[in-house]
Every structure is written in C-alpha cells, then in structure tokens.
Amino acid sequence: MMEYSERLRKLPAYLFLKIEQKKKELLNKGMDIIDFGVGDPDLPTPENIISVMRKAVEKPINHCYPLGTGMPAFKQAIAQWYQKRFFVSLDPEKEVLVLIGSKEGLAHLPLAFLNGEDIALIPEPAYPVYQTATILSGGIPFFLPLKAENDFLPDLESIPRKVAERAKILFLNYPNNPTAAVASGEFLERVIKFAKKYELIVAYDNPYSEVYYEGKKPLSFLQIEGAKEVGIEFGSLSKTYNMTGWRIGWAVGNSEILEGLAKVKGNVDSGTFLAIQEAGVEALNGPQESTAEMRMIYKERRDLLFSGLTEAGWQMNKPSATFYLWAKPPFACTSEKTASVLLEKSGILATPGSGFGPSGEGYLRFSLTLSKERIKEAVGRLKKIK
Ligand SMILES: *Cc1c(COP(=O)(O)O)cnc(C)c1O
C-alpha cells in the first residue's frame, strides 16, 4: 500500500462528499436536481476575449515557456486597471505577478513564508485553500470565526497575543465566499494596524471585486494607506469575465512578498500560457459591457432567490456583492441535515455551510450560477416544504 506523506494525511476530510454522493444517487433515480452548489459561473466568456485568444493561439511566439513574472503587456494592463478601478498606482515590473489563477498563488504563498512552528491566521467559514495550503507547507492554521454579529469580519482583538506573535500570514477574503460579506475601509485600516504591530503578511483574496450590486463597488485592500507595506492582493479574471477554466490571475502589492512567491513559482511552474495572457490584456483593456450585463443578470437572480427564500421563512442578508446567498433555514437543524432534506424532498442542492468551517454551521450557501427559470422553479418547490 502506498503511504501518503504526513502533510497530506493532515488535510481535513472533504466535507461535501456526502451531499455529492446523495446528488448522484438521486440523479440516477431520475430526479430533476436544481444545483445551487457550484461556485462556477454558468455564463460564457465574452466573445471579444475568445476572439483575441483564437488569434493568439496561432502565433508561434506564444508557444514557448512563458517564464518570469508575466508578459509585460499583461502586467501593464493589470497596473492600468488598478489605477482606473481603484486609484492605486502599481509598478508593473515589481508590484505585479501573473498567476495560473489566484488559487495557485494562494496555495504557493505559505511555502515562501511559513516555517514549521509558524501560524497562519485563517478565517472560517472560508474558501478551503488558505487552510490546506498552510497545512501542506508545514505551517499551523489558527482559525478566526466569522459571525453574523460581527458582520462576518474577524474579531482581531480576540486573537491571543502569543498566537499573533507566532503568526506570519493573515488571510482575508472580501467580498467573501461563502458569507457574501464585504469589508469597510475602517475594518481594513484596523487590519493594517494589526499587521504592522505583529509583522504579519496580509494575503487579501479579492476575486469578487467586480461582482457587486446597486453600484456598491467593493474596495481593494491596496486602496488603504499603508497596505502595500504589509500585504498583497490576489485578483482573477475567473469571476469577472467567466474564465474559471482558463486559469489566469495575479498578485499585486508588496514587492518583497511577491518576490518570495515568484521564487516558489519559478521552481514549480513556468508561468501562464502566453496566449491566455494576451487574452487577459483584452479582458482588462477591452469593452466592459459584458461585465455590467453579468452584474444585471446576477442581480435579477439574487432578487428572485432572496424574495423566494424570505417568503419561505429563510433568514439572510441581501448580498451587495458576490454571487452567493448565505442563508439560515426556518427550522433549527444542522447544515448537513438541512441540505440533505432539501435535496431529497425537493431536488434542491445547496452547500452545507459547516463544510466551510464550524462557524458555518446552521447556514447553507446558494450560488446564483443558474438561470432565472431554474431559480423560479426552485422557489416554487421551496414554498411547498413544510
Ligand atoms: C473562485 C475563488 C478563487 C479562485 O479563483 P481562481 O483565480 O479561479 O483560482 C479564489 N478565492 C475565492 C474566495 C474564490 O471564491
């Protein structure tokens, strides 16, 4: 028998296994399942980006190893986009690093900065990569609960001083997956103060910055004074341009932190396919109507599902960003049990919140990545559940 490494055996069990198995069983029985589980856009990549990609693929110059920290034209496009969108100035040479999706960078960051006894401060519920990357690098996760009473922001004051002193990285993600919470400038100012006090690296994961409603544009961490001294921000084309499968993203900010991450990457991968980076230039510099349209589509879906769930007695905040609803059912029950009953009784699949961390217990996450018609059908079914 093959024996896995200790670090692999330390990874938490995959908590969505049960619900996925149940889904398969019911599908096999012929049940019509409305799947709110996937956090992957159903809309296509905009045509202008695909068109640039078609031509870029044909250029032999794009067939070589990409190498380095990214294609200069794409790094420049990222810097210009930051200027235009956030009024943040970046040096495209030193303060921009191209990634194979932001997940890749998040996963490699701890390898550059954590030693055996070092702690990473990790919110929960959360995107699982912060935790698994910390464990794979040999570091120790310390969890920061995100609770409704704190607007799903971590309570930095509650972190024991001894823990903060041993911590090297603080992961944050706003607009947040799975809670859909956003961070205020005032909170981010406190984060920077805290990071300076304990000499922490802030790894700010911001893939939903362009998925917002009612014109409430989310902040970049780098907009806050002092941010570049302590942190980097991860960004991605995945959610903004429906490009999850293309694998392209970036890290921007503190040049020393980026250098460490680039060093790890230089020994693991050889960069992002140049044709995809060329398409990335088109995504950021080209027409942005498709992103505006995407926001309208998600907004319609959000309003439909929000009122449907509310009428059925569920409790939740109406999200001002992300394509998730983080909702509590009208009966007291564990997330897993609720998800399982919902699936069996009405063929509706929502992700049990406890799978994202213990503070997610009691909640379910609904993704808005399916059509209005399917959401209407789901709302009809929801109202029939007793
Ligand atoms: C989708 C998502 C990502 C991953 O984005 P990629 O650029 O596709 O790797 C990172 N963080 C969070 C919180 C996400 O939801």
Side-chain angles (χ1 to χ4, degrees), residues 101-104 106 127 130 173 177 205 207-208 236 238-239 244 247-248 324:
S102 54
K103 180 181 185 177
E104 177 265 301
L106 289 161
Y127 186 61
Y130 319 130
N173 160 228
N177 173 11
D205 188 17
Y208 296 98
S236 174
S238 286
K239 316 285 163 59
T244 49
R247 310 315 302 133
I248 181 164
Y324 302 112

Side-chain angles (χ1 to χ4, degrees), residues 173-195:
N173 160 228
Y174 294 99
N176 185 257
N177 173 11
T179 69
V182 293
S184 63
E186 186 270 329
F187 169 72
L188 297 180
E189 281 167 20
R190 280 192 282 133
V191 166
I192 291 169
K193 237 192 215 159
F194 183 79

Side-chain angles (χ1 to χ4, degrees), residues 269-330:
D269 60 67
S270 301
T272 306
F273 184 20
L274 289 166
I276 296 180
Q277 294 193 57
E278 231 184 277
V281 174
E282 172 64 18
L284 294 177
N285 289 349
Q288 301 297 309
E289 281 80 13
S290 60
T291 304
E293 198 179 313
M294 170 195 81
R295 282 190 282 265
M296 302 250 294
I297 293 171
Y298 284 142
K299 181 181 175 297
E300 273 191 330
R301 295 173 177 181
R302 178 203 65 171
D303 292 345
L304 261 176
L305 188 58
F306 178 80
S307 41
L309 283 169
T310 304
E311 278 172 46
W314 290 60
Q315 281 186 7
M316 79 221 85
N317 294 327
K318 195 177 205 172
S320 72
T322 77
F323 46 63
Y324 302 112
L325 291 186
W326 185 241
K328 267 193 166 161

